[in-house]
Amino acid sequence: EAIVITKHDGTIKSVNQAYQMITGFSHQDSLGTHIFATLAKIQPEFNYQTIQPQLDKQGVFTARLWRAKKNGHVYPAWETIS
């Protein structure tokens, strides 16, 4: 199970080994990037402007999101963001 730890503004502070193996992004690649940076462009309804308000209001967001790996391959990921 991939785990990403972010700052309040959504920038990545840390990722675990599973995240690195799934995405191809190393810990160093990920540090300082925004959690939404790897959202695939095929799903425009999910972006910072649509997800962040739900996080602020409910404290959690759960959905299947399409992410892009470092090699460009797009894959579905069931995610809980809290």
Side-chain angles (χ1 to χ4, degrees):
E1 186 171 292
I3 297 173
V4 178
I5 299 171
T6 67
K7 297 178 184 177
H8 183 71
D9 67 359
T11 57
I12 296 174
K13 287 180 20 176
S14 182
V15 298
N16 70 351
Q17 187 68 30
Y19 176 87
Q20 295 174 69
M21 291 180 69
I22 292 167
T23 67
F25 290 104
S26 71
H27 190 262
Q28 278 304 113
D29 291 334
S30 303
L31 290 180
T33 62
H34 198 277
I35 187 66
F36 297 134
T38 60
L39 284 177
K41 305 301 182 220
I42 62 171
Q43 201 175 22
E45 68 272 20
F46 291 123
N47 56 52
Y48 181 79
Q49 289 78 22
T50 60
I51 295 173
Q52 193 62 49
Q54 184 173 338
L55 280 172
D56 292 341
K57 184 176 180 180
Q58 298 176 355
V60 65
F61 174 87
T62 301
R64 183 182 74 172
L65 300 176
W66 289 88
R67 294 275 182 181
K69 293 184 179 192
K70 186 174 183 175
N71 67 7
H73 177 76
V74 174
Y75 67 100
W78 185 256
E79 298 191 15
T80 299
I81 303 171
S82 60

